[in-house]
């Protein structure tokens, strides 16, 4: 019986060596202790996922023979129709199912898009701080990353324009346009218009990564960047509004982009799950139920965000500045005194609370005194307790 | 309202341009007519998928809150345990869950493995004729393909040894070891031993792609290549034995390979579906039910294969030579008179029957007089009708 060998000497490939590990993921392992309140995760709250409604849809789906068979690579026709109708409302123009490819979460849409479009050495503009999953995808594709700062109005589009005027020619510009991960902010409408126009002037594609848009506390999702121009690929997902386990996301874009992504998906995993796509289509098409569910979800998140930010203000006062959540799941804190949040983390864990240090999201020079907190995972009183623990660790 | 633009001038990426389209896929669209009996597909028969059992498992799974949440990237712990136990039986050695990564069908395992291991320009040995999905994956990874012929005993390992002796140094050697797609044959045990030994001598990894092993008509799956050496990565799937819509496959390999694949999966789609993994684990762990289900499936396939091959022998006589199915889903036919099966296909469709021409699977010079037929999709009398239609088209 042969023993397990050492790693083959050729492992890993160059593309994998270029992918930085997710500090967040390592962190989640570290902080998965019962006595630690974790504000580090990016998961929707388990008690808010509509499990009973999913069970009804599953039972209904499994009455049809086709529900357990292979499906079309571009996605279940019925789901593409529902998503197209939904995006028509979001974009205020008719969207056809041919503009939609269903993917395994929007993460797969991002990965397929990058692989369909990018050659090694290509320039990609990313936000700084950035969604780490996007950095990993672009690194795996061999792209050269160019960071653009994010401020209270979202991506600094002036800074992007300056890079472009200076000669940078990216193929893709990635933005989490609404309720930014990790920065908690939303791209201003005038910046959205300008970004879409720059894409047409300079011939790049905007990747509008929008998993949180429907989680606007006031129930009014911001008008997408894609409503302002045609050189925009939009990514959406049910993970934050229905359930991550459905693994249903989508890409909305020009026909040639969809065709390239579909072709690559064919050799990547053949197709998504007919079963979970049927369930997602059922829930998304059930308009009255969906409206009520989203109202409940937004109300809960709004209340939790209010409790969290009030506690931060009360406990830290001027020792911390923070974003003002208007939706989504994240709040971004900064210590004006330069407190090193990498060094703070182990002390915080010792005090029974975890967060993600800003350095985890940095593309350029790390923001050593910032941190990301998820405010949706716990009820209000637990969030207040978590903030008190954080203050104790920081004092 | 902006019009949809032309394709960005940079589309598609080089890696996508290197991927040939799937002739089979185009063909399936062409032949999806109600009046055409299609032997072209590679789908399990819908009437043999255990939909009621899946519904029971779904209902049970959805009682737990965790069933709709994100899961671990490497796969649901319970499923990895069940797969490890199953593979322990297949390999006749203890397999641990740490050696298993769950993927979205075995196609994703193949894609992640290729990306984790291959740099552009690397050599990969493939069978000829080959599983087209493997060719696409290796092309997308920028590999240089080196074909080795397949005969009645599976991959011609002597031919591989000659290539290696001649200086070829592949990183991967891919084989569909049992009940080959498209060739319908099974790699002989002495060749399996030799292949595993060559991997250790020359430092490559064998990719043992084995979705059909449990579909041996006699109920005795061949001893895997991985049982003969440690430089083998095994790919498995529930798609052909339970249901494609679960999108559950797996990779079994050395720890360093699993770690690299897991890291790449993290940025590819974060994780698989907790729901469908829970369902798959339920069914795979229900040993009595599974044994009965597989017995029924194998009996049905055996009967269909017998009807199909008897009809071929009766109708074509010496005008056609064929593989002798001992499991799986496919039978390979060749016209010794050199009949051009690409040219035959439209005539066959006109006669109400479809197949996949051998050229679709060719890596080296195309096998212009061969074709692949799937024998599991129809009951016996329909298969006999399909063979008669094929003969009418060929006459």
């Amino acid at each position: 019986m042969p023993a397990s060998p050492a790693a083959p000497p050729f492992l890993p490939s160059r593309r994998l060596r270029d992918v930085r590990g997710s500090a967040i993921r390592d962190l989640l392992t570290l902080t998965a202790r019962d006595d630690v309140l974790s504000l580090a995760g990016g998961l929707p709250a388990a008690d808010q996922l509509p499990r009973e409604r999913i069970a009804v849809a599953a039972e209904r789906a499994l009455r049809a023979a086709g529900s357990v068979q292979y499906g079309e690579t571009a996605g279940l026709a019925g789901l593409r129709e529902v998503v197209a109708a939904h995006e028509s409302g979001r974009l205020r123009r008719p969207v056809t199912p041919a503009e939609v490819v269903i993917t395994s979460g929007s993460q797969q849409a991002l990965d397929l898009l990058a692989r369909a479009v990018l050659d090694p050495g290509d320039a990609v503009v990313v936000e700084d701080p950035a969604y780490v999953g996007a950095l990993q995808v672009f690194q795996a594709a061999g792209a050269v990353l160019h960071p653009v700062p994010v401020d209270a109005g979202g991506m600094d589009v002036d800074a992007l324009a300056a890079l472009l005027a200076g000669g940078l020619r990216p193929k893709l510009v990635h933005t989490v346009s609404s309720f930014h991960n990790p920065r908690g902010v939303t791209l201003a409408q005038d910046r959205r218009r300008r970004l879409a126009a720059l894409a047409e002037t300079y011939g790049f594609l905007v990747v509008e990564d929008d998993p949180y848009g429907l989680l606007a506390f006031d129930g009014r999702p911001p008008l997408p960047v894609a409503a302002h121009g045609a050189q925009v690929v939009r990514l959406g997902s049910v993970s934050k509004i229905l359930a991550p386990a459905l693994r249903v996301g989508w890409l909305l874009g020009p026909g040639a982009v969809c065709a390239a992504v579909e072709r690559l998906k064919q050799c990547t995993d053949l197709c998504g799950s007919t079963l979970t796509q049927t369930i997602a289509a059922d829930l998304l098409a059930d308009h009255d139920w969906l409206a009520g569910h989203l109202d409940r979800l937004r109300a809960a998140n709004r209340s939790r965000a209010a409790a969290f930010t009030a506690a931060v203000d009360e406990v830290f006062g001027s020792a911390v500045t923070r974003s003002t959540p208007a939706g989504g799941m994240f709040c971004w804190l900064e210590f004006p005194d330069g407190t090193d949040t990498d060094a703070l983390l182990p002390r915080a864990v010792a005090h029974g609370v975890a967060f993600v240090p800003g350095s985890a999201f940095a593309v350029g020079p790390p923001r050593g005194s910032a941190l990301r907190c998820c405010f949706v995972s716990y009820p209000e009183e637990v969030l207040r307790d978590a903030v008190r623990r954080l203050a104790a660790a920081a004092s």
Side-chain angles (χ1 to χ4, degrees), chain A:
Chain A
M1 193 175 308
S4 218
F10 46 82
L11 243 177
S13 64
R14 267 200 307 280
R15 80 192 90 204
L16 185 55
R17 284 197 299 271
D18 288 342
V19 179
R20 71 168 170 190
S22 170
I24 300 175
R25 195 157 152 255
D26 300 341
L27 190 66
L28 291 179
T29 311
L30 187 75
T31 60
R33 284 166 33 185
D34 285 345
D35 58 335
V36 173
L37 298 175
S38 179
L39 307 175
L43 283 62
D47 61 335
Q48 293 172 359
L49 300 175
R51 192 156 43 86
E52 285 80 11
R53 182 65 185 79
I54 289 171
V56 170
E59 194 273 326
R60 194 181 296 168
L62 284 165
R63 288 180 211 159
S67 63
V68 292
Q69 189 56 280
Y70 285 108
E72 288 179 53
T73 300
L76 193 76
L79 179 58
R80 291 170 78 193
E81 276 168 30
V82 173
V83 169
H86 165 77
E87 290 286 346
S88 298
R90 294 286 293 279
L91 299 185
R92 302 180 191 170
R93 70 164 175 89
V95 171
T96 68
E99 296 171 74
V100 175
V101 179
I102 305 298
T103 53
S104 182
S106 58
Q107 185 70 25
Q108 190 189 39
L110 193 56
D111 183 59
L112 294 176
L113 177 66
R115 294 167 71 196
V117 163
L118 299 176
D119 288 309
D122 282 343
V124 171
V125 169
V126 294
E127 297 171 313
D128 192 6
Y131 166 54
V132 177
L135 299 183
Q136 291 177 316
V137 160
F138 297 133
Q139 287 164 337
V144 178
L145 303 184
H146 298 265
V148 164
V150 175
D151 61 28
M155 174 190 275
D156 181 348
V157 176
D158 281 340
L160 170 64
L163 287 175
L164 295 167
L168 183 68
R169 292 295 175 268
K171 283 188 180 168
L172 301 177
V173 174
H174 179 262
T175 177
V176 179
S177 51
S178 297
F179 318 119
H180 192 268
N181 174 10
R183 195 57 186 71
V185 295
T186 291
L187 190 63
Q189 277 302 330
D190 60 326
R191 295 190 185 187
R192 291 178 185 233
R193 261 190 301 276
R194 183 133 183 254
L195 179 58
L198 287 171
E200 292 179 16
T201 303
Y202 290 96
F204 59 81
L205 287 172
V206 176
V207 185
E208 181 179 30
D209 204 343
D210 190 18
Y212 312 111
L214 288 179
L215 297 181
F217 293 159
D218 66 2
R220 297 170 54 205
L223 188 63
V225 180
H228 297 296
Q231 292 269 115
V232 183
V233 175
R234 251 176 82 69
L235 311 185
S237 173
V238 305
S239 294
K240 306 302 191 289
I241 55 170
L242 297 179
L246 298 177
R247 304 315 296 127
V248 166
W250 56 86
L251 175 149
L252 169 71
V257 172
C258 289
V261 164
E262 180 186 350
R263 195 156 145 229
L264 201 52
K265 183 170 169 65
Q266 164 78 10
C267 74
T268 296
D269 64 4
L270 304 181
C271 62
S273 166
T274 307
L275 176 58
T276 66
Q277 290 182 77
T278 306
I279 294 171
D282 184 336
L283 271 63
L284 290 176
D286 187 352
H287 297 291
D288 290 345
W289 172 84
L290 182 64
H293 166 69
L294 289 175
D295 279 345
R296 287 186 295 276
L297 186 56
R298 287 186 286 241
N301 288 357
R302 185 172 56 227
S303 170
R304 289 175 181 193
F308 177 79
T309 53
V312 168
D313 293 348
E314 182 192 323
V315 171
F316 284 100
S318 64
V320 156
T321 59
R322 59 164 177 82
S323 63
T324 300
M329 302 165 55
F330 301 112
C331 187
W332 182 256
L333 310 189
E334 290 194 84
F335 289 92
D337 72 355
T339 294
D340 177 345
T341 52
D342 284 308
L344 176 60
L345 180 61
R347 296 204 307 274
V349 171
H351 281 80
V353 64
F355 57 82
V356 184
S359 60
F361 311 99
V363 189
R367 308 214 176 197
S369 60
L371 58 92
R372 185 193 79 175
C373 291
C374 176
F375 53 73
V376 305
S377 306
Y378 296 108
E380 290 75 355
E381 65 273 28
V382 180
L383 290 168
R384 284 187 277 266
D385 185 16
V387 171
R388 282 190 296 267
R389 295 181 188 197
L390 182 60
S395 68

Short mmCIF file of all heavy atoms in Angstrom, two decimals, chain A residues 113-125 138 143-144 146 164 168-174 199 202-207 231 233:
data_model
loop_
_atom_site.label_atom_id
_atom_site.label_comp_id
_atom_site.label_asym_id
_atom_site.label_seq_id
_atom_site.Cartn_x
_atom_site.Cartn_y
_atom_site.Cartn_z
N LEU A 113 -16.28 35.66 -15.90
CA LEU A 113 -16.08 36.90 -16.65
C LEU A 113 -14.59 37.22 -16.76
O LEU A 113 -14.09 37.54 -17.85
CB LEU A 113 -16.83 38.05 -15.95
CG LEU A 113 -16.64 39.42 -16.59
CD1 LEU A 113 -17.27 39.46 -17.98
CD2 LEU A 113 -17.27 40.51 -15.71
N ALA A 114 -13.89 37.12 -15.64
CA ALA A 114 -12.45 37.41 -15.66
C ALA A 114 -11.72 36.49 -16.62
O ALA A 114 -10.87 36.93 -17.41
CB ALA A 114 -11.87 37.28 -14.25
N ARG A 115 -12.06 35.21 -16.59
CA ARG A 115 -11.36 34.25 -17.45
C ARG A 115 -11.75 34.43 -18.91
O ARG A 115 -10.96 34.14 -19.81
CB ARG A 115 -11.67 32.82 -17.00
CG ARG A 115 -11.09 32.51 -15.63
CD ARG A 115 -11.66 31.23 -15.07
NE ARG A 115 -11.17 30.07 -15.79
CZ ARG A 115 -11.74 28.86 -15.71
NH1 ARG A 115 -12.81 28.67 -14.97
NH2 ARG A 115 -11.23 27.85 -16.37
N ALA A 116 -12.96 34.89 -19.15
CA ALA A 116 -13.42 35.06 -20.54
C ALA A 116 -12.80 36.30 -21.18
O ALA A 116 -12.67 36.38 -22.39
CB ALA A 116 -14.94 35.16 -20.59
N VAL A 117 -12.42 37.26 -20.35
CA VAL A 117 -12.02 38.58 -20.86
C VAL A 117 -10.52 38.83 -20.71
O VAL A 117 -9.92 39.48 -21.56
CB VAL A 117 -12.82 39.68 -20.11
CG1 VAL A 117 -12.19 41.03 -20.28
CG2 VAL A 117 -14.27 39.67 -20.59
N LEU A 118 -9.93 38.33 -19.63
CA LEU A 118 -8.57 38.74 -19.29
C LEU A 118 -7.50 37.78 -19.79
O LEU A 118 -7.64 36.56 -19.67
CB LEU A 118 -8.43 38.87 -17.77
CG LEU A 118 -9.33 39.89 -17.09
CD1 LEU A 118 -9.14 39.82 -15.58
CD2 LEU A 118 -9.04 41.29 -17.60
N ASP A 119 -6.43 38.36 -20.32
CA ASP A 119 -5.20 37.61 -20.55
C ASP A 119 -4.19 38.02 -19.49
O ASP A 119 -4.28 39.14 -18.95
CB ASP A 119 -4.66 37.91 -21.95
CG ASP A 119 -5.52 37.27 -23.03
OD1 ASP A 119 -5.77 36.05 -22.93
OD2 ASP A 119 -5.93 37.98 -23.96
N PRO A 120 -3.25 37.13 -19.17
CA PRO A 120 -2.24 37.49 -18.15
C PRO A 120 -1.57 38.82 -18.50
O PRO A 120 -1.23 39.08 -19.65
CB PRO A 120 -1.25 36.32 -18.22
CG PRO A 120 -2.07 35.16 -18.68
CD PRO A 120 -3.06 35.75 -19.65
N GLY A 121 -1.40 39.67 -17.50
CA GLY A 121 -0.78 40.97 -17.70
C GLY A 121 -1.76 42.09 -17.97
O GLY A 121 -1.38 43.27 -17.94
N ASP A 122 -3.02 41.75 -18.23
CA ASP A 122 -4.02 42.79 -18.47
C ASP A 122 -4.25 43.63 -17.22
O ASP A 122 -4.16 43.13 -16.09
CB ASP A 122 -5.35 42.16 -18.90
CG ASP A 122 -5.34 41.74 -20.36
OD1 ASP A 122 -4.45 42.20 -21.10
OD2 ASP A 122 -6.21 40.94 -20.76
N ALA A 123 -4.59 44.90 -17.45
CA ALA A 123 -4.86 45.81 -16.33
C ALA A 123 -6.32 45.72 -15.90
O ALA A 123 -7.24 45.67 -16.73
CB ALA A 123 -4.54 47.24 -16.75
N VAL A 124 -6.52 45.69 -14.59
CA VAL A 124 -7.86 45.71 -13.99
C VAL A 124 -7.85 46.74 -12.87
O VAL A 124 -6.93 46.75 -12.04
CB VAL A 124 -8.25 44.32 -13.43
CG1 VAL A 124 -9.53 44.40 -12.62
CG2 VAL A 124 -8.40 43.31 -14.57
N VAL A 125 -8.86 47.60 -12.86
CA VAL A 125 -8.99 48.57 -11.77
C VAL A 125 -9.90 47.98 -10.70
O VAL A 125 -10.98 47.47 -11.00
CB VAL A 125 -9.56 49.90 -12.28
CG1 VAL A 125 -9.94 50.81 -11.12
CG2 VAL A 125 -8.54 50.61 -13.19
N PHE A 138 -9.15 38.14 -9.92
CA PHE A 138 -8.32 38.85 -10.89
C PHE A 138 -6.86 38.39 -10.80
O PHE A 138 -6.16 38.31 -11.82
CB PHE A 138 -8.45 40.37 -10.70
CG PHE A 138 -9.84 40.88 -10.94
CD1 PHE A 138 -10.46 41.76 -10.06
CD2 PHE A 138 -10.57 40.46 -12.06
CE1 PHE A 138 -11.76 42.21 -10.29
CE2 PHE A 138 -11.87 40.91 -12.30
CZ PHE A 138 -12.46 41.78 -11.40
N ALA A 143 -4.11 39.10 -13.83
CA ALA A 143 -4.25 40.54 -14.10
C ALA A 143 -3.30 41.36 -13.23
O ALA A 143 -2.86 40.91 -12.17
CB ALA A 143 -5.69 40.97 -13.83
N VAL A 144 -3.00 42.57 -13.72
CA VAL A 144 -2.25 43.55 -12.92
C VAL A 144 -3.29 44.51 -12.30
O VAL A 144 -4.07 45.13 -13.03
CB VAL A 144 -1.26 44.33 -13.79
CG1 VAL A 144 -0.52 45.38 -12.96
CG2 VAL A 144 -0.27 43.37 -14.44
N HIS A 146 -4.85 47.71 -10.36
CA HIS A 146 -4.63 49.14 -10.14
C HIS A 146 -5.71 49.64 -9.18
O HIS A 146 -6.88 49.71 -9.56
CB HIS A 146 -4.70 49.90 -11.48
CG HIS A 146 -3.64 49.48 -12.44
ND1 HIS A 146 -2.44 50.15 -12.56
CD2 HIS A 146 -3.59 48.44 -13.31
CE1 HIS A 146 -1.69 49.54 -13.47
NE2 HIS A 146 -2.36 48.51 -13.94
N LEU A 164 -6.91 57.10 -16.12
CA LEU A 164 -7.22 56.88 -17.54
C LEU A 164 -6.59 57.97 -18.39
O LEU A 164 -5.99 57.70 -19.45
CB LEU A 164 -8.74 56.85 -17.75
CG LEU A 164 -9.47 55.69 -17.05
CD1 LEU A 164 -10.98 55.94 -17.05
CD2 LEU A 164 -9.17 54.36 -17.73
N LEU A 168 -3.64 54.76 -18.51
CA LEU A 168 -4.03 53.41 -18.10
C LEU A 168 -5.20 52.93 -18.98
O LEU A 168 -6.15 53.67 -19.20
CB LEU A 168 -4.45 53.41 -16.63
CG LEU A 168 -4.83 52.02 -16.06
CD1 LEU A 168 -3.60 51.12 -15.98
CD2 LEU A 168 -5.50 52.14 -14.69
N ARG A 169 -5.10 51.71 -19.48
CA ARG A 169 -6.17 51.13 -20.31
C ARG A 169 -6.61 49.79 -19.73
O ARG A 169 -6.20 48.73 -20.19
CB ARG A 169 -5.70 50.97 -21.75
CG ARG A 169 -5.47 52.28 -22.50
CD ARG A 169 -6.78 53.06 -22.68
NE ARG A 169 -6.53 54.37 -23.29
CZ ARG A 169 -6.32 55.49 -22.59
NH1 ARG A 169 -6.33 55.47 -21.26
NH2 ARG A 169 -6.11 56.64 -23.21
N PRO A 170 -7.46 49.84 -18.71
CA PRO A 170 -7.91 48.59 -18.11
C PRO A 170 -8.93 47.90 -19.01
O PRO A 170 -9.60 48.56 -19.81
CB PRO A 170 -8.58 49.05 -16.81
CG PRO A 170 -9.08 50.42 -17.13
CD PRO A 170 -8.08 51.02 -18.09
N LYS A 171 -9.02 46.59 -18.89
CA LYS A 171 -10.13 45.89 -19.57
C LYS A 171 -11.38 45.89 -18.68
O LYS A 171 -12.49 45.96 -19.19
CB LYS A 171 -9.72 44.45 -19.91
CG LYS A 171 -8.80 44.38 -21.13
CD LYS A 171 -8.57 42.96 -21.58
CE LYS A 171 -7.66 42.92 -22.81
NZ LYS A 171 -7.21 41.53 -23.08
N LEU A 172 -11.16 45.81 -17.37
CA LEU A 172 -12.28 45.78 -16.43
C LEU A 172 -12.06 46.79 -15.31
O LEU A 172 -10.93 47.01 -14.88
CB LEU A 172 -12.41 44.38 -15.79
CG LEU A 172 -12.64 43.18 -16.71
CD1 LEU A 172 -12.67 41.89 -15.88
CD2 LEU A 172 -13.94 43.32 -17.50
N VAL A 173 -13.16 47.39 -14.85
CA VAL A 173 -13.15 48.21 -13.63
C VAL A 173 -14.22 47.64 -12.72
O VAL A 173 -15.40 47.62 -13.06
CB VAL A 173 -13.45 49.70 -13.95
CG1 VAL A 173 -13.59 50.50 -12.65
CG2 VAL A 173 -12.35 50.30 -14.84
N HIS A 174 -13.79 47.12 -11.57
CA HIS A 174 -14.70 46.42 -10.67
C HIS A 174 -15.19 47.35 -9.55
O HIS A 174 -14.39 48.05 -8.94
CB HIS A 174 -14.00 45.22 -10.04
CG HIS A 174 -14.85 44.46 -9.07
ND1 HIS A 174 -14.79 44.64 -7.70
CD2 HIS A 174 -15.80 43.51 -9.28
CE1 HIS A 174 -15.66 43.82 -7.10
NE2 HIS A 174 -16.28 43.14 -8.03
N ALA A 199 -16.41 54.34 -19.28
CA ALA A 199 -16.30 53.01 -19.88
C ALA A 199 -16.46 53.10 -21.40
O ALA A 199 -15.74 52.43 -22.15
CB ALA A 199 -17.36 52.07 -19.29
N TYR A 202 -13.28 55.04 -22.90
CA TYR A 202 -12.00 54.33 -22.88
C TYR A 202 -12.10 52.85 -23.25
O TYR A 202 -11.10 52.14 -23.27
CB TYR A 202 -11.34 54.49 -21.51
CG TYR A 202 -10.84 55.91 -21.26
CD1 TYR A 202 -11.61 56.83 -20.54
CD2 TYR A 202 -9.61 56.34 -21.77
CE1 TYR A 202 -11.17 58.12 -20.32
CE2 TYR A 202 -9.16 57.63 -21.56
CZ TYR A 202 -9.94 58.53 -20.84
OH TYR A 202 -9.49 59.81 -20.63
N GLY A 203 -13.34 52.37 -23.51
CA GLY A 203 -13.47 51.01 -24.02
C GLY A 203 -13.22 49.91 -23.02
O GLY A 203 -12.75 48.83 -23.37
N PHE A 204 -13.55 50.16 -21.75
CA PHE A 204 -13.47 49.05 -20.78
C PHE A 204 -14.88 48.63 -20.37
O PHE A 204 -15.86 49.27 -20.75
CB PHE A 204 -12.64 49.44 -19.54
CG PHE A 204 -13.13 50.64 -18.76
CD1 PHE A 204 -14.17 50.52 -17.83
CD2 PHE A 204 -12.54 51.89 -18.93
CE1 PHE A 204 -14.61 51.63 -17.11
CE2 PHE A 204 -12.97 53.01 -18.21
CZ PHE A 204 -14.01 52.87 -17.30
N LEU A 205 -14.95 47.51 -19.65
CA LEU A 205 -16.21 47.07 -19.08
C LEU A 205 -16.23 47.38 -17.59
O LEU A 205 -15.26 47.08 -16.89
CB LEU A 205 -16.40 45.56 -19.25
CG LEU A 205 -16.73 45.01 -20.64
CD1 LEU A 205 -16.67 43.48 -20.63
CD2 LEU A 205 -18.13 45.47 -21.08
N VAL A 206 -17.30 48.00 -17.12
CA VAL A 206 -17.52 48.12 -15.68
C VAL A 206 -18.12 46.81 -15.19
O VAL A 206 -19.05 46.28 -15.80
CB VAL A 206 -18.50 49.27 -15.34
CG1 VAL A 206 -18.80 49.31 -13.84
CG2 VAL A 206 -17.96 50.60 -15.82
N VAL A 207 -17.57 46.26 -14.12
CA VAL A 207 -18.18 45.10 -13.47
C VAL A 207 -18.90 45.63 -12.24
O VAL A 207 -18.27 45.99 -11.25
CB VAL A 207 -17.13 44.06 -13.05
CG1 VAL A 207 -17.82 42.82 -12.50
CG2 VAL A 207 -16.21 43.71 -14.21
N GLN A 231 -21.81 49.64 -21.42
CA GLN A 231 -20.54 48.94 -21.22
C GLN A 231 -20.41 48.46 -19.76
O GLN A 231 -19.35 48.61 -19.15
CB GLN A 231 -19.37 49.87 -21.55
CG GLN A 231 -19.26 50.23 -23.00
CD GLN A 231 -18.36 49.27 -23.77
OE1 GLN A 231 -18.81 48.56 -24.66
NE2 GLN A 231 -17.09 49.22 -23.41
N VAL A 233 -21.31 45.27 -17.03
CA VAL A 233 -21.77 43.91 -16.73
C VAL A 233 -22.21 43.90 -15.28
O VAL A 233 -21.44 44.27 -14.39
CB VAL A 233 -20.63 42.89 -16.95
CG1 VAL A 233 -21.08 41.50 -16.53
CG2 VAL A 233 -20.18 42.90 -18.40
#
